[in-house]
Amino acid sequence: MKNYNILSLSLSLITGICYGQGDLDYLKENLYLTEYYKNPFDCDGLPDDGIYSLDDRICANLKLQEADSTLSFYYNEIKIALLSIHNAQLIQSFETLQQSWRTYRDLHCDTLYGGYETHTGAVLYMTEMRRLTEVRIEEMKSLLDIYTNE
């Protein structure tokens, strides 16, 4: 049974099917990014005036994508470290924890900002998602240190 769990986890890492990971891939496909992909601009050059435009929405999206990619990297690194420990229960606990964290993040942001209805709402929503993701990245880095320094 232990070998089956390790094999199953290995296959999920290879194919990218992991609980709670990569659930923001849809951000790349938003139609409003089409013009940005044709004519990219510097997001750091936008004014921080509290008025949110389509450009602000694009930049919030891109920054959230970047944070989610970084989180995915650390998630996969931890899964690899856990594979070397050969503890199926710990691996399952970690997957459940990450899935619960993503559910918390999404519900928290939905409660505060309600989603993507307007440019302002979308910018605030994605900014909060990114903020929480960045906190989680730091937690993942700490976890990785623990699992790789045993």
Side-chain angles (χ1 to χ4, degrees):
M1 184 67 162
K2 184 166 114 178
N3 287 339
Y4 173 76
N5 288 335
I6 300 295
L7 177 62
S8 175
L9 178 59
S10 298
L11 288 174
S12 69
L13 277 172
I14 291 167
T15 61
I17 303 169
C18 296
Y19 292 112
Q21 272 317 109
D23 66 339
L24 298 181
D25 285 342
Y26 66 89
L27 290 173
K28 298 173 192 169
E29 300 167 9
N30 281 293
L31 292 178
Y32 62 83
L33 291 173
T34 304
E35 281 304 310
Y36 173 81
Y37 293 140
K38 290 179 187 174
N39 300 303
F41 56 86
D42 180 15
C43 287
D44 294 331
L46 294 178
D48 188 14
D49 56 7
I51 299 171
Y52 298 112
S53 66
L54 177 59
D55 290 349
D56 294 302
R57 185 178 190 155
I58 289 167
C59 292
N61 179 316
L62 296 172
K63 289 175 183 178
L64 178 55
Q65 285 184 53
E66 181 181 0
D68 194 57
S69 293
T70 302
L71 180 65
S72 184
F73 169 80
Y74 282 105
Y75 175 87
N76 289 331
E77 290 296 304
I78 290 172
K79 295 278 294 244
I80 290 167
L82 292 176
L83 275 171
S84 70
I85 296 171
H86 303 291
N87 183 329
Q89 185 177 358
L90 184 58
I91 293 167
Q92 183 60 46
S93 294
F94 175 69
E95 286 181 346
T96 300
L97 173 65
Q98 186 62 8
Q99 187 174 20
S100 296
W101 176 82
R102 284 201 182 262
T103 299
Y104 158 75
R105 182 206 57 200
D106 295 349
L107 288 173
H108 170 78
C109 293
D110 286 345
T111 300
L112 286 179
Y113 300 111
Y116 301 96
E117 296 298 318
T118 64
H119 291 318
T120 299
V123 170
L124 294 172
Y125 184 88
M126 288 186 281
T127 299
E128 181 67 7
M129 287 186 78
R130 179 176 51 89
R131 185 190 71 76
L132 291 174
T133 301
E134 288 170 348
V135 169
R136 186 66 179 147
I137 289 167
E138 293 306 313
E139 293 170 349
M140 292 284 209
K141 288 177 182 178
S142 296
L143 285 173
L144 186 59
D145 284 343
I146 290 168
Y147 294 133
T148 56
N149 291 325
E150 284 193 340

